[in-house]
Amino acid sequence: MKLIGLSFLASLAVTSVAAQTGGSIIDHGLPDDLNGSNFTYPFPLKLYKFTSQRQQLEMAFMDVAPTGTPNNKTAILFHGNFFCGAAWNETIHVLAHTGYRVVVPDHIGYCKSTKPTHYQFSLAQLATNARGLLNTLGVGNVTVMGHSFGGMLTFRYGLMFPGSIDEIVVVNAIGMEDYVGKGVPWIPIEESYATSRESTFASVQAYENTTYYVGLWEDRYDEWVQMVVDVFFGSKRDAFCWNQAQIVDVVLNQPIAHDFARLQPRLLLMIGEKDTTAIGKTWAPPDVAATLANFTALAHDVSAQVPNCTLVTFPELGHAPHISNPDIFHAALVEWLTTGTTNSTIETR
């Protein structure tokens, strides 16, 4: 009976994924203020309209054609929690010049995508949404690249859809450690929601200055703060703050840190070592907080577990190396994508 039950559940899972891969693409007539964000994106926006969890949703995305000699490959980029797809601007240009078609969605709950009031957020659901978008676009294999929360999502995507991945690139992912497993107390979504509603330009800037840019703030970073603050104070403010709280719950309750050894695609792990990001660090007991966000140790631990991993570290950079020093970051990225190696490699397995 147990085996039959597992087989039945597995068949349901396959059916569920298949049911969410359909949808339609809207590529014209989109409002400037879309799903609570009026930020101007660097490339034209499209909408993937689909059904998930018995409701109609809209996933905004950019679909950028190669500007260099096409290599017949597609890259999909996953943004982090305090970012939108637009923050990948420089990386999009670099990948398109290298020959990639580049697809960059805003996850459900973020930026210019639907912010549902009732939705069971999970890494698996967001990964399924992304695979559904690619299927609707007629895209097969992809290079999957994610930063921060998007990096955590990339790991989950790599575990779910290994046969449709050329390679994965992860940049300063959160979730490389099990926060609750290390002693971070779980908090109710209502508490995260209240904290989210307190966000301002000054608070977001201060947080990013410390963790993303290690105290070396530059005026050009203001654009990315304004991008997310526009959503915090936009027409979907309340829903966005609630979705932000739900994402915190996902990170705490759906650890990825125990699954790295099962990753099949080759991985480029890119780490700014001065990053101090850890979900729950601000409310964890001091002795627990002191054990979190050692990205140098985490990077080597993860790279030792993944069967085919190249690790690149940036000793003087923080949580967003692709923004704080795009030249050295993209040089290492393109070299690895085109040759399989990089002169910046610290450890290769």
Side-chain angles (χ1 to χ4, degrees):
M1 289 296 291
K2 186 176 293 185
L3 290 176
I4 292 174
L6 288 173
S7 298
F8 177 68
L9 289 173
S11 67
L12 281 180
V14 171
T15 302
S16 175
V17 170
Q20 296 180 53
T21 55
S24 59
I25 304 296
I26 307 299
D27 61 2
H28 62 278
L30 303 183
D32 292 334
D33 189 340
L34 180 60
N35 286 314
S37 169
N38 59 14
F39 187 82
T40 301
Y41 277 41
F43 299 94
L45 276 170
K46 300 180 181 180
L47 274 186
Y48 167 49
K49 303 190 76 169
F50 65 108
T51 301
S52 175
Q53 299 183 20
R54 303 199 299 179
Q55 56 189 303
Q56 286 290 316
L57 301 177
E58 296 178 344
M59 181 187 291
F61 68 99
M62 295 173 284
D63 187 356
V64 182
T67 55
T69 303
N71 61 10
N72 299 316
K73 293 184 176 182
T74 298
I76 186 168
L77 310 185
F78 295 154
H79 64 79
N81 192 55
F82 266 7
F83 282 124
C84 306
W88 281 115
N89 184 22
E90 291 190 68
T91 304
I92 296 170
H93 280 286
V94 168
L95 290 175
H97 179 73
T98 307
Y100 285 84
R101 175 185 181 181
V102 190
V103 177
V104 190
D106 284 348
H107 310 308
I108 294 301
Y110 288 87
C111 305
K112 290 185 180 287
S113 294
T114 301
K115 294 157 190 67
T117 304
H118 303 288
Y119 199 64
Q120 184 173 332
F121 278 88
S122 69
L123 294 172
Q125 180 66 74
L126 296 180
T128 298
N129 294 348
R131 188 61 248 178
L133 166 62
L134 293 170
N135 288 351
T136 302
L137 291 173
V139 174
N141 276 33
V142 287
T143 295
V144 187
M145 183 171 180
H147 167 243
S148 191
F149 175 70
M152 189 177 186
L153 176 58
T154 296
F155 282 130
R156 177 55 64 197
Y157 189 104
L159 291 164
M160 292 177 67
F161 306 109
S164 68
I165 296 174
D166 292 324
E167 57 266 313
I168 60 179
V169 180
V170 172
V171 185
N172 281 80
I174 62 170
M176 293 199 299
E177 54 191 328
D178 181 347
Y179 303 117
V180 173
K182 283 191 168 184
V184 171
W186 178 82
I187 61 172
I189 291 179
E190 287 81 2
E191 288 189 30
S192 297
Y193 168 70
T195 299
S196 186
R197 285 187 62 87
E198 294 173 356
S199 297
T200 64
F201 186 99
S203 70
V204 173
Q205 185 187 57
Y207 171 75
E208 292 190 358
N209 184 35
T210 301
T211 60
Y212 291 17
Y213 309 114
V214 297
L216 302 175
W217 191 263
E218 298 182 20
D219 290 344
R220 61 190 178 94
Y221 304 150
D222 285 348
E223 178 180 13
W224 308 126
V225 177
Q226 192 61 55
M227 175 183 63
V228 71
V229 170
D230 281 353
V231 190
F232 271 118
F233 291 93
S235 59
K236 303 294 182 181
R237 166 178 167 78
D238 190 68
F240 177 61
C241 291
W242 183 253
N243 291 162
Q244 286 276 290
Q246 290 175 292
I247 292 297
V248 170
D249 200 63
V250 166
V251 174
L252 293 177
N253 290 319
Q254 298 177 29
I256 199 75
H258 311 291
D259 296 317
F260 297 130
R262 296 195 297 113
L263 277 173
Q264 297 177 28
R266 70 180 188 128
L267 165 67
L268 175 62
L269 184 60
M270 309 184 80
I271 299 294
E273 292 187 80
K274 287 193 173 180
D275 191 359
T276 59
T277 304
I279 305 305
K281 190 175 182 180
T282 56
W283 68 78
D287 60 326
V288 172
T291 69
L292 303 175
N294 183 341
F295 274 83
T296 299
L298 290 171
H300 285 278
D301 180 54
V302 172
S303 68
Q305 295 180 59
V306 177
N308 188 6
C309 178
T310 298
L311 171 63
V312 172
T313 63
F314 307 102
E316 300 304 316
L317 302 182
H319 189 63
H322 58 303
I323 293 177
S324 56
N325 198 325
D327 290 341
I328 64 168
F329 176 88
H330 291 119
L333 171 65
V334 171
E335 186 178 14
W336 184 82
L337 288 174
T338 55
T339 70
T341 60
T342 171
N343 290 329
S344 302
T345 300
I346 300 300
E347 178 179 327
T348 304
R349 298 183 72 249

